[in-house]
Amino acid sequence: MSTGTGWVAARVRVVRIFGAEDVRRVVSMPMAIEGMRQAFLDLAAGNFVLPARQVFGDGAVLVMSTYHTPTRTAVVKKISIDLDRDPAIRALLIWTGGEQIVADGTVITTLRTGAVVGLATDLLAPADATRLTLIGTGGQAADQVRAVLAVRPIAETMIAGRNPDRARALAAALTDEFPQVKFISGTNIDRAVAAADIICCATSTSTPLFEADALPERVHVNAIGAFRPTMRELPRSLLASADLVLVDQREAALEESGEIIDAVQSGALSPDSLVELGTALTTHPQPTTGRTVFKSVGLGPQDWAIARLLSQSP
């Protein structure tokens, strides 16, 4: 089996193979964001069959799947997670429909996670936002920045991480990619969030990264790193005081998001106050002068959206 895009003969049908570079070549971030928009509208319309993800080895291995009823297409993704490894997430994706696709699920996971953040940011962040803060320097980090830059006129980005060398290296790499943006690195999170218009959290922490008092009165916060009930990136005080808390899916957030679970169990947040992204896309929330939050734990339709774009490529 080759590592690049190719065709493998089989008795029944042909399989297309997309390596990481192939996925990046075919699917740009703006394309991914628009694909994500349609996928979440379809999710809200009930067009996906979405089984609960299977979890093995105390979260070391996950299997996610979804079926899109109108097109009779399906995606299955197997993920292995090791937080001591870089990248922590490694995955393989299989698409079935008019043809079969096998693709690098690692790059699809970072791309689709960035794209859903771009979609939520476009929906909720101030239209004139120019200052972005990224907390985290792992495998998900760069696509968080790419996604926000695709939807807002960001002029300055602060990258904050525990390891100053990794933060500097990421800032340097993104400077080469986006020379029009000023990138700054550091380790002081409170200083990094104090003047931000948009904040992206992409860490594996089990304790909140900051307190609500450290944030500006008007800010949009994305959080994608905590995917287990024991993990928390956001403080309870932020979720309790935010004008709007957006989630990819209410049921998934209540089962998997440590910060959402904590806030609900403490009584600081009502489950009924959580707004699903697909619903928000149809109701168009009113602009706010306060704080908004988007919490994502990841759903199969996000993988389906990227795989569909791959299936449509020549």
Side-chain angles (χ1 to χ4, degrees):
M1 185 178 291
S2 66
T3 57
T5 302
W7 297 85
V8 176
R11 287 184 177 182
V12 178
R13 58 180 62 185
V14 172
V15 179
R16 297 182 70 186
I17 303 170
F18 290 83
E21 292 183 359
D22 302 313
V23 174
R24 292 288 185 187
R25 175 179 52 79
V26 172
V27 184
S28 67
M29 184 58 75
M31 288 173 59
I33 292 171
E34 288 309 305
M36 212 60 57
R37 189 186 308 274
Q38 186 57 56
F40 274 90
L41 287 171
D42 274 7
L43 180 62
N47 290 335
F48 282 101
V49 178
L50 188 58
R53 74 178 72 191
Q54 295 176 284
V55 181
F56 305 98
D58 195 27
V61 176
L62 308 176
V63 177
M64 302 172 62
S65 60
T66 192
Y67 176 76
H68 187 244
T69 306
T71 59
R72 298 184 179 182
T73 54
V75 159
V76 177
K77 187 175 73 173
K78 175 263 181 184
I79 310 164
S80 65
I81 302 173
D82 182 348
L83 298 179
D84 295 324
R85 180 180 65 199
D86 188 17
I89 296 175
R90 293 179 182 171
L92 181 72
L93 179 141
I94 299 172
W95 157 283
T96 61
E99 61 183 0
Q100 293 189 96
I101 288 174
V102 176
D104 185 304
T106 305
V107 69
I108 287 176
T109 299
T110 62
L111 178 59
R112 59 86 146 158
T113 306
V116 77
V117 161
L119 180 58
T121 299
D122 196 30
L123 191 65
L124 296 181
D128 58 352
T130 59
R131 294 169 298 185
L132 167 66
T133 288
L134 167 69
I135 306 173
T137 59
Q140 298 275 4
D143 274 324
Q144 296 293 294
V145 174
R146 293 180 183 115
V148 174
L149 265 59
V151 298
R152 287 297 182 269
I154 300 299
E156 180 178 294
T157 297
M158 166 64 80
I159 299 175
R162 292 177 299 178
N163 186 319
D165 292 335
R166 288 176 63 97
R168 281 193 293 268
L170 180 58
L174 289 170
T175 297
D176 290 341
E177 189 172 346
F178 301 100
Q180 77 279 12
V181 178
K182 180 181 180 181
F183 288 92
I184 306 166
S185 64
T187 58
N188 190 315
I189 292 177
D190 283 351
R191 186 180 302 168
V193 301
D197 298 314
I198 301 168
I199 299 169
C200 289
C201 305
T203 74
S204 57
T205 184
S206 58
T207 57
L209 296 165
F210 46 78
E211 290 299 327
D213 290 346
L215 303 179
E217 288 302 315
R218 186 188 189 200
V219 66
H220 173 66
V221 181
N222 300 300
I224 59 95
F227 55 90
R228 295 172 180 165
T230 56
M231 301 167 73
R232 290 174 61 196
E233 291 187 296
L234 305 181
R236 186 186 301 170
S237 55
L238 172 60
L239 295 171
S241 62
D243 290 351
L244 188 150
V245 178
L246 188 70
V247 294
D248 38 18
Q249 187 190 52
R250 184 182 291 109
E251 181 181 359
L254 290 170
E255 290 182 0
E256 300 170 22
S257 167
E259 48 265 280
I260 298 292
I261 294 170
D262 170 78
V264 169
Q265 289 180 345
S266 70
L269 183 69
S270 167
D272 293 337
S273 69
L274 299 173
V275 179
E276 294 188 334
L277 179 53
T279 301
L281 289 171
T282 59
T283 59
H284 304 288
Q286 294 297 312
T288 174
T289 58
R291 297 166 177 167
T292 56
V293 173
F294 173 58
K295 172 61 197 174
S296 175
V297 294
L299 299 173
Q302 295 172 239
D303 299 310
W304 177 90
I306 304 302
R308 180 171 181 266
L309 291 170
L310 293 176
S311 75
Q312 294 172 341
S313 66

